[in-house]
Amino acid sequence: MEINWLGVVLAFVAGMVVAFIWYQKGFIADAWAQLTGVTPERSRPARTRNMTQLLVANCVTAIGLAAGISLASEATGDDSVGLALLVGFAAWLTFSATTLLQHNAFELKPAKLTFINTGYQLALFLVMSLVIGLL
């Protein structure tokens, strides 16, 4: 298995762009803030910790996707962008979406919040996989 480290770095950057865009003021961010009660003022004290966690999580996600795409490519002999996107979708569905669904259901969080958060994760996984698959 060979990990494309340039792909990892660029996927990480792309993931940060997705996070930045997804949670910018507007329809999605406003709905998310209303559902969670988290305002910029309320989150300011934890900003450094939260950004560190985002950086680490996106780095681990990029490495994991690069490894999964590499393994799938070697196993199938297919190094297409389509396979990379399939791996990203499968990783999102089996790890991220199901975990968020379980936690949000038991924590009685609104379905709209689950949709927003899983939608973000899907966009993140697919954009990262696309970048890795293109390299």
Side-chain angles (χ1 to χ4, degrees):
M1 170 181 72
E2 268 186 53
I3 292 180
N4 180 339
W5 291 105
L6 176 61
V8 169
V9 170
L10 294 177
F12 169 79
V13 170
M16 296 305 291
V17 170
V18 168
F20 177 79
I21 291 169
W22 195 268
Y23 291 106
Q24 280 299 303
K25 275 292 194 198
F27 176 72
I28 295 172
D30 292 347
W32 179 85
Q34 182 182 22
L35 291 165
T36 62
V38 177
T39 63
E41 297 77 29
R42 189 167 165 230
S43 69
R44 192 167 286 118
R47 185 168 287 152
T48 300
R49 183 195 71 213
N50 292 349
M51 285 305 296
T52 301
Q53 289 174 341
L54 176 65
L55 293 168
V56 170
N58 279 358
C59 183
V60 171
T61 300
I63 293 168
L65 286 171
I69 291 166
S70 177
L71 287 170
S73 179
E74 286 179 15
T76 63
D78 180 358
D79 64 352
S80 69
V81 173
L83 178 69
L85 290 170
L86 180 62
V87 169
F89 179 79
W92 166 78
L93 183 63
T94 59
F95 299 116
S96 180
T98 55
T99 301
L100 280 170
L101 181 63
Q102 289 175 46
H103 286 282
N104 285 7
F106 281 100
E107 293 172 2
L108 304 176
K109 294 192 177 166
K112 186 174 181 179
L113 180 61
T114 303
F115 183 75
I116 289 171
N117 289 336
T118 56
Y120 162 71
Q121 291 291 311
L122 177 60
L124 177 75
F125 278 53
L126 291 181
V127 166
M128 285 183 164
S129 296
L130 177 64
V131 169
I132 293 165
L134 288 171
L135 295 177

